[in-house]
Amino acid sequence: MTIQQIQNELIEDFSLFDDWTQRYEYLIELGKSLPLIDEKYKTEEYLIKGCQSQVWLHAEEQDGKLIFTADSDAIITKGIVALLVKVFSDQTAEDILKADMSFIDKIGLKDHLSPTRANGLVSMIGQMRGYAAKVLGNR
């Protein structure tokens, strides 16, 4: 499935909920289904800078695609990183770097985050794109 197809699916999923309480519950559920990061990556090196909560992110390349794992100490933040892992994991570095992230606005996520969480979201996307750029630079 392409990044755009996944984003369209998420837009559809979020549209099923009447209010943001339900959408937050969905984010929390996404967080619970997140492929957990190996404990050895829960170090300062893998911590995303710019997040109010602690968020660890790891990526590795398998068969030309990036596979992301992550974790957070906050349930909403864990849901947000799970959303991004769902979008970017199992995609090529090229596709990650050129992805249009407008789905975040379409589901209304940025409007319903505190400024510090919104900054964290931007930092998470930046870190994931940083991994993709590093993979391309190593080729």
Side-chain angles (χ1 to χ4, degrees):
M1 197 178 277
T2 68
I3 289 175
Q4 192 59 54
Q5 289 170 323
I6 295 166
Q7 290 179 354
N8 290 342
E9 206 173 77
L10 287 167
I11 291 166
E12 196 173 302
D13 290 349
F14 272 83
S15 73
L16 299 173
F17 303 109
D18 296 328
D19 60 37
W20 266 92
T21 303
Q22 293 174 329
R23 290 176 183 181
Y24 281 128
E25 287 172 12
Y26 178 63
L27 268 178
I28 291 166
E29 287 305 311
L30 279 175
K32 289 178 182 174
S33 68
L34 182 67
L36 284 186
I37 193 167
D38 190 305
E39 287 296 317
K40 70 181 178 185
Y41 299 119
K42 281 186 152 184
T43 63
E44 187 72 27
E45 181 184 349
Y46 297 95
L47 206 55
I48 295 179
K49 312 294 183 265
C51 285
Q52 181 180 12
S53 310
Q54 290 191 305
V55 181
W56 298 272
L57 179 71
H58 175 257
E60 61 184 58
E61 190 177 16
Q62 294 177 3
D63 301 322
K65 296 185 177 186
L66 282 171
I67 308 299
F68 290 95
T69 55
D71 197 7
S72 175
D73 62 351
I75 57 171
I76 296 289
T77 307
K78 189 171 180 170
I80 295 167
V81 77
L83 191 68
L84 297 176
V85 166
K86 186 176 178 87
V87 170
F88 285 145
S89 208
D90 207 27
Q91 302 293 331
T92 65
E94 294 89 347
D95 288 343
I96 291 167
L97 288 172
K98 70 180 183 185
D100 172 6
M101 298 303 289
S102 62
F103 89 100
I104 291 168
D105 293 327
K106 290 179 182 168
I107 64 175
L109 184 59
K110 251 190 181 166
D111 297 336
H112 290 87
L113 294 177
S114 67
T116 53
R117 278 211 178 109
N119 288 341
L121 171 65
V122 170
S123 295
M124 289 177 213
I125 293 168
Q127 185 76 22
M128 293 173 112
R129 286 190 163 155
Y131 278 123
K134 188 175 179 184
V135 164
L136 286 178
N138 290 337
R139 288 188 181 156

